[in-house]
Amino acid sequence: MKIDQRMEDDVCICSLQGRMDGTGAPAIEAQAQALFAAGTKQLVLDLSGVEYISSAGLRCVLVIAKKAGAISGKVVLCSLSPMVADVMKISGFHQLLTICDNCAEAIKVASGQA
Amino acid sequence: MARSNVPTPSKDIPMAKLLLTRHSIRRRLLTWVIGVTGLLLVAIVIWSMFLGHRRIVGEMRSKAAFLAEGGAARVDRHLAPMEGFLRALALSIEFNEFNLASAQIDTLIRSAMAEKPGIFGMCLAMDPQWPLPTDWTDRAAYWHREGATIAYLDLAGPLNAHTAEPWFYEPMNSGQGHWSEPYIETSIDQPMVTFSVPLRVWQTDADRIQRNTATARTVGVLTFDLTIEWLDGLLSDLPFGPDGYGFLMSRESTYIAHPLPELVVHASVFSIAAERGDEDLAALGHQMVSGQPGLRSWYSFRTGDPCWLAYTPLQSANWIMGAIVSKDELHSALRHLFLTQSAMGLIGLLALIGAVSMIARTITVPIERLRDAADQLTGGQLDIALPMPRGKDEVAQLTFALSGMRDRLQEHIRSLAETTAARERMQSELRIAHDIQMGLVPKTFPALPSRPDLDLFAILEPAREVGGDFYDFFQLDEDHMVVAIGDVSDKGVPAALFMAVTRSFLRSFFRGEQQYNPAEVMQRVNSELAQGNDACMFVTLFCAVVRFSDGNVTYANAGHNPPLLRLPDGTLTFIHEPSGAIAGAMPNLTFENGTLELPTDGTLILYTDGVTEAMNPDGEWFGESGLEASVHATPTNACSEAVITQLLKDIRAFAGEAPQSDDITMLLLRRRCPANDATPSGLFIQFANNQRELEHALDQLEERLNESHPQLAQIARLVLEEMGTNIIKYGYDDSEPHLVQVRFKAGPPAQLIIEDDGHPFNPLQDAPTAAIDAELEDRPIGGLGIHMVKTMTAAQSYRRSDGRNRFCVTFQNGVGPLQNGVGPL
């Protein structure tokens, strides 16, 4: 799992590349944890590079979303590949999480401008 | 006596309980001490009361008798001189044969009365038959006091009335002195008694001197009258006690002196008995007048209370002296005795309670401290200070023992921690070794998807301990491949490392110059392994180069089990020759190549000694014959996987309960004609239950399916990841390696079958239901995987058989759900 990270105003954008499965997910979770601990509240997960997600990946997203909720932050997902979008839908996660089509929109939503 | 005043132990227990409920030893000690000593105390008090009662009764009886005797003696002391006085006076009157002038008699009597002021009157009465001296005129001359003077009168009168009086005829008849019954002297209205003595005439002076009454004649009596109210004073001086008293009664039982004045003279025991109809009293009266002293229980006439009655006859007058001692005195004496003893006993008991309580405290307090310390020890605080014992008693010894135990425990825990750490290190090393072993053997089948005429299947079943078995196969070029099987001596990490090295040498040498010459490769591997092999490890090795086009197999054997060749007609041959020495033990060995033809539907069966030396509980080996028989039972056109599965089943059935002692490794190589093959094409992968192996298996699956079924690759991967993760996480409790088998069947319909020998688990029923519609905060973390598997595949089934879970999913025919099953978000 490769994670690229950049800041845009107060929003942190993490571009993920690889598989969000039992192997890749812990790294993402640790990264998000570190960001929250450092004071980041708005987080955009750009999943355009993620072609595969398993329940371990979903669990990781859920944990991140809950932690963001606990510090009154916000997590927005964007640019989902077809497989990831399907899994999100099957698991009902699309109702729980904010999902945007592209990164720009996600940044707006995350910063509260949309 | 009020028995309820006797102290009993039960009275003291509530107090003891209140103080000591929490302290069992103290409570028991006190309960027993108080119980036993209390009972003893009660017994002692009762016994001493009994003895005291007997003693006091004796004393009181003696006192009553003594008082009766003393009273009698006291009365005697007064009466006896009076008697003597009258007898002396009678003697002097007799002396002159009554030759006294009446004036002289008068003078004598008056002077006698002057001498004895207690005498109220005196009488000189003569027998009417006896001739009076010359100048005597009166037969019963009577002098009595009238105020300060003494008056005189004649009691006889013309009819000699005095002869009818007892005071006259009694001494006349008996010749003895006689005390009359008491009577009231009417002139002064006072009780009185009369004492009379006989007056005699003697025949001779000798008779007179000798008081020979046989020849004497009684001619009259001399009497005096005595008032008796002084007797009351005499008796009241005696110590009868508060409720006791003394009394005097006559021979006829008439009261002469009694504290109840109305009884005196007027009543007698018999008259009272008759009046009351009291036969006991009458009987008592008879006893009292019988002249014998006596003592008995009675009751006081004065108070009506029970008392002791002692009686004794007087020596002078034949009266009876009685003494009454109240039994109340006995009771008060006993009460005093009881109170004294009880108080002493109670004080003793209290002192004992105090002492026992103190002793108990000196025992229990250190024990309680010890208990607290032991509690802390139990809680894991091994470095606490134990209470310092005083002295060398049992508690101190216990403390020392506990201290010793604590030290030993500390030591033990320290060594246990060290041992555990060492064991954990060892186990992690073993796991690494196992991972090396399992990671180095290819586990994806078909081995060469591009060669449908090759049916190769292999399995490595690790034993409990990590062994040194391995197998390998790889393609050399379009027409050649290498298969190898080996068994490293020893087990554990060294074996795994040695095996890895062996495998690397094999691969690199076959890919080098001697690629078609197994004997040459074997020689070089042997030389390399033997170099610097200080541990003297070795490996048995069989390797072969297979030519696909004509089935020619060139092989070399370094001390390995002879492979088994099965021809299409079912003939089974062990390939014994040529066989060289084991590899790695010694440098510069030479090996020889052998060749054989493997026809279509012919199978070459490679195995390690884990197969032939599989042991049953009786210690028998499966053996080459077992292998032969087992292979023989399968059809010749059966695929390699089916044969291996059957072989494994047979070996397990043979071993039964016996533990697997060595790795079981088998590799089957079969040339097939795809047209008459019994098994459809598919994919087989197995992985050990750890994350790395799963990851590897997932990649293999996706890679192979991308070639044959690209639309299913990701879904199959997802299914295997979800189910595989579950098996790794929850399937096993032990730390042993377990193999999970995965089969993909091309179908149609396409199926993925996952088998494991973990705990029974039916994902379709036993898995928690995922809360798909729950809000973010309520959403549980978990339970999603199976939901996704169910949603993304067409059908799922689960079966448990032969101790294995078999989970099978069927994919939607041809098209994956990712393309049309779900639709856009």
Side-chain angles (χ1 to χ4, degrees), chain B residues 115-339:
Chain B
E115 179 73 21
K116 296 286 181 187
I119 293 173
F120 173 75
M122 295 190 73
C123 179
L124 179 60
M126 304 306 292
D127 189 353
Q129 268 85 49
W130 191 71
L132 288 176
T134 44
D135 68 334
W136 288 20
T137 53
D138 300 328
R139 229 164 240 286
Y142 180 56
W143 296 262
H144 64 98
R145 296 182 197 278
E146 228 177 51
T149 60
I150 294 174
Y152 173 80
L153 61 96
D154 179 22
L155 295 178
L159 296 176
N160 283 324
H162 67 278
T163 55
E165 297 287 341
W167 55 263
F168 179 75
Y169 64 72
E170 284 283 351
M172 283 294 290
N173 293 339
S174 66
Q176 301 289 326
H178 170 259
W179 284 91
S180 74
E181 290 295 297
Y183 57 91
I184 299 292
E185 170 57 48
T186 47
S187 63
I188 53 169
D189 194 23
Q190 276 196 2
M192 199 106 44
V193 289
T194 299
F195 180 62
S196 339
V197 291
L199 295 172
R200 302 181 181 89
V201 287
W202 308 86
Q203 289 190 346
T204 62
D205 277 348
D207 287 341
R208 184 193 304 275
I209 292 164
Q210 288 166 7
R211 309 308 289 173
N212 185 1
T213 52
T215 56
R217 179 185 169 192
T218 304
V219 294
V221 298
L222 182 66
T223 72
F224 61 65
D225 302 334
L226 210 54
T227 56
I228 50 176
E229 77 279 353
W230 55 271
L231 284 170
D232 288 335
L234 199 67
L235 295 184
S236 65
D237 285 351
L238 290 172
F240 292 102
D243 287 327
Y245 58 89
F247 66 89
L248 272 172
M249 51 186 254
S250 72
R251 196 174 35 194
E252 303 292 330
S253 84
T254 308
Y255 288 107
I256 296 167
H258 196 280
L260 297 177
E262 67 271 19
L263 295 183
V264 175
V265 178
H266 301 296
S268 71
V269 172
F270 293 124
S271 70
I272 293 172
E275 191 183 312
R276 298 183 184 171
D278 189 340
E279 290 179 10
D280 287 345
L281 184 59
L284 174 68
H286 282 298
Q287 283 176 2
M288 287 167 74
V289 301
S290 68
Q292 295 298 319
L295 175 69
R296 58 174 298 174
S297 248
W298 200 245
Y299 55 90
S300 161
F301 276 2
R302 207 172 67 176
T303 61
D305 290 332
C307 62
W308 293 107
L309 165 63
Y311 52 89
T312 189
L314 262 60
Q315 301 224 320
S316 48
N318 45 7
W319 296 348
I320 291 111
M321 172 72 207
I324 294 282
V325 173
S326 171
K327 285 189 179 175
D328 274 352
E329 204 177 326
L330 168 74
H331 294 158
S332 67
L334 277 180
R335 190 177 299 120
H336 182 252
L337 180 70
F338 167 74
L339 286 178

Side-chain angles (χ1 to χ4, degrees), chain A residues 19 21-23 51-56 58-59 62-63 65-66 80 82-83 85-97 99, chain B residues 691 695 699 702 714 717-718 721-722 729 772-782 784-785 787-788 791-792 817-818 822-825:
Chain A
R19 277 193 287 265
D21 56 9
T23 314
E51 75 275 18
Y52 173 90
I53 186 165
S54 71
S55 67
L58 288 180
R59 248 172 246 131
L62 186 62
V63 168
K66 280 189 176 181
L80 274 56
M83 189 273 177
D86 270 355
V87 170
M88 289 284 176
K89 180 151 189 176
I90 288 166
S91 58
F93 268 51
H94 64 293
Q95 296 163 2
L96 305 178
L97 302 165
I99 299 172
Chain B
Q691 195 62 40
E695 200 66 31
D699 290 343
E702 190 179 357
Q714 284 199 335
R717 183 187 177 105
L718 187 74
E721 182 183 342
E722 301 299 351
K729 276 191 182 166
I772 302 302
D773 301 323
E775 289 300 317
L776 181 63
E777 282 70 23
D778 305 334
R779 192 83 189 232
I781 296 181
L784 264 177
H787 170 72
M788 279 160 49
T791 313
M792 299 175 91
L818 292 183
V822 179
L825 288 171

